[in-house]
Amino acid sequence: MENRKPQQAIFKMVLIALLSAMAIGLFYLEFPIFTAAPFLKLDFSDLPALFAGIFIGPVAGVTVELIKNLVELLTKGLGTQMGFGNLMNFAVGCAYVLPTSLLCRAWLKRGDGGDHRLRAIFACLVGMAAIIVVGLGMNYWTMPLFFRFFLHQELTRDTIVPLLGYATGMNAIKGAMLSAGALLLLAWQKRAPGVFRVFDR
């Protein structure tokens, strides 16, 4: 058993690296969804982090989130969004991945005969609530700074409220998208129970 530990660590490191590479590629495919707030962009780069969080562990999910944002920041540079976009992406990504993966892993390890669908839906709802609340708080704090230092505009109370609405809507859409991904992953695991044991070893 002791001899397998280095192999297990290497296996997880390689898997995290592969998932991080996938996340980085998906991060570059971001696109705006609200014409009134084109700086708010949606992407699918949190899905590999969610996979890592559920099947390897929450720390692995956060690691994927961190690597993809650091690489994107280093390659694009501070000139794109002065790091505000990366900070927001990391915060809201972790806000969903952490609670959802913790709850899902607890369910997978428990392996009893309970209603798995209800547990999975509950985990996704907790993740959606977290991404909306954290996203709202982070946007309220960072958005005025982003407009002041990057766009050279001052936000007033009348202008920040609609922008916060757009940002919250985008995070809700991202949460729903990630929830669909989580439910598909869990449905896949239920059909092939050995999958969890392969990654979580």
Side-chain angles (χ1 to χ4, degrees), residues 32-50:
I33 56 175
F34 299 119
T35 55
F39 59 91
L40 295 173
K41 297 180 180 180
L42 184 67
D43 62 81
F44 301 98
S45 63
D46 295 308
L47 290 172
L50 179 63

Side-chain angles (χ1 to χ4, degrees), residues 43-65:
D43 62 81
F44 301 98
S45 63
D46 295 308
L47 290 172
L50 179 63
F51 183 99
I54 291 175
F55 289 107
I56 305 175
V59 174
V62 172
T63 302
V64 173
E65 291 283 355

Side-chain angles (χ1 to χ4, degrees), residues 59-75:
V59 174
V62 172
T63 302
V64 173
E65 291 283 355
L66 181 62
I67 290 173
K68 69 156 184 177
N69 276 288
L70 286 177
V71 170
E72 202 262 358
L73 181 63
L74 290 172
T75 53

Side-chain angles (χ1 to χ4, degrees), residues 175-198:
M177 176 192 71
L178 289 171
S179 295
L183 293 174
L184 286 173
L185 285 174
L186 294 170
W188 172 51
Q189 189 279 335
K190 188 177 181 182
R191 289 180 177 273
V195 171
F196 181 69
R197 291 191 294 271
V198 168

